[in-house]
Amino acid sequence: AQTVTQSQPEMSVQEAETVTLSCTYDTSENNYYLFWYKQPPSRQMILVIRQEAYKQQNATENRFSVNFQKAAKSFSLKISDSQLGDTAMYFCAFMKYTGNQFYFGTGTSLTVIP
Amino acid sequence: NAGVTQTPKFRVLKTGQSMTLLCAQDMNHEYMYWYRQDPGMGLRLIHYSVGEGTTAKGEVPDGYNVSRLKKQNFLLGLESAAPSQTSVYFCASSARTGQFSNQPQHFGDGTRLSIL
């Protein structure tokens, strides 16, 4: 079975600063995908960034980047130049290569302080 | 650009009542999913479907039934609602996974369901 762990229930960061959200996972699969989703107060789930396990290069998407450590089964999200609109719940998710089921972590609530 | 639409957005039920949540997607996606979101527990998969006419159980299927009679619709039913089913329900859809292609899930806006 796959498990995804987010050990930081809540975090805060000053506007314009950088923050890193942690995610670890457990799997026996060799090929898989990892995602970060953002859920603002509006409740909508928004895809932030994705990473393929077979790629060594870390994914980046504007101010968002990941640190993917396959051997350590770690997938952290770095948000640079934090903005007030980044305030949201962030979920880490795992998907097996051979399937289409997502496994979500319990989320990290991020607050950006003006 | 409707994407994934969930109906209704809010509902209050009494214990023992039944109801159906509707999910509709206009992206021609093969896969559809129903999740529930509870505080401190993230999203948990209830049921999913890999195509029209097929359904499968997820992590927490008990007390729920689903149907996928049309490709664009995925219905979630509660036959006899219980207070433990008070939650926010999310529907999602995604395209079929191909080799070296990852297809993220597109989510609806959620349905807040309260069982008294």
Side-chain angles (χ1 to χ4, degrees):
Chain A
Q2 278 61 230
T3 59
V4 178
T5 302
Q6 293 179 249
S7 59
Q8 305 153 313
E10 296 181 356
M11 294 189 71
S12 61
V13 62
Q14 291 290 138
E15 192 175 7
E17 296 296 310
T18 296
V19 64
T20 298
L21 281 58
S22 301
C23 173
T24 58
Y25 57 94
D26 187 25
T27 183
S28 58
E29 302 285 324
N30 189 49
N31 292 319
Y32 48 86
Y33 307 113
L34 296 163
F35 304 85
W36 278 98
Y37 276 87
K38 166 186 177 181
Q39 187 180 40
S42 65
R43 211 170 62 194
Q44 187 179 21
M45 293 285 285
I46 302 166
L47 178 66
V48 175
I49 199 165
R50 72 188 80 176
Q51 174 81 42
E52 292 90 339
Y54 67 88
K55 289 186 177 180
Q56 292 186 340
Q57 186 175 6
N58 289 325
T60 62
E61 195 73 37
N62 299 317
R63 298 184 294 109
F64 299 89
S65 61
V66 298
N67 183 6
F68 173 49
Q69 301 289 330
K70 191 174 183 179
K73 295 180 182 175
S74 171
F75 183 60
S76 61
L77 174 69
K78 186 172 80 170
I79 305 174
S80 304
D81 186 25
S82 297
Q83 300 175 0
L84 297 179
D86 295 334
T87 292
M89 183 74 81
Y90 287 81
F91 291 97
C92 179
F94 169 99
M95 182 175 80
K96 292 195 294 185
Y97 173 78
T98 55
N100 219 321
Q101 286 193 56
F102 271 41
Y103 300 88
F104 286 89
T106 53
T108 296
S109 178
L110 176 68
T111 300
V112 179
I113 303 168
Chain B
N1 272 358
V4 179
T5 303
Q6 291 183 230
T7 309
K9 296 191 184 305
F10 305 94
R11 186 71 184 269
V12 178
L13 291 178
K14 294 182 179 178
T15 298
Q17 286 185 318
S18 63
M19 79 159 296
T20 300
L21 304 184
L22 171 64
C23 177
Q25 54 95 2
D26 61 2
M27 296 171 283
N28 201 34
H29 284 169
E30 291 289 339
Y31 297 163
M32 296 187 74
Y33 311 81
W34 275 107
Y35 295 90
R36 60 177 291 173
Q37 184 179 25
D38 301 293
M41 301 191 75
L43 280 82
R44 293 182 293 168
L45 183 64
I46 304 171
H47 287 279
Y48 66 100
S49 168
V50 299
E52 181 178 326
T54 70
T55 63
K57 294 181 180 179
E59 181 184 357
V60 288
D62 294 341
Y64 305 95
N65 57 75
V66 289
S67 65
R68 184 102 180 264
L69 299 179
K70 294 182 178 181
K71 185 177 183 179
Q72 64 268 32
N73 295 336
F74 195 31
L75 306 179
L76 177 70
L78 287 73
E79 289 187 349
S80 180
S84 61
Q85 294 177 303
T86 293
S87 187
V88 179
Y89 291 85
F90 283 93
C91 176
S93 71
S94 64
R96 187 190 299 276
T97 302
Q99 186 177 17
F100 298 130
S101 69
N102 53 331
Q103 305 299 330
Q105 297 186 358
H106 299 258
F107 285 82
D109 291 340
T111 296
R112 184 175 295 279
L113 184 61
S114 296
I115 316 296
L116 304 178

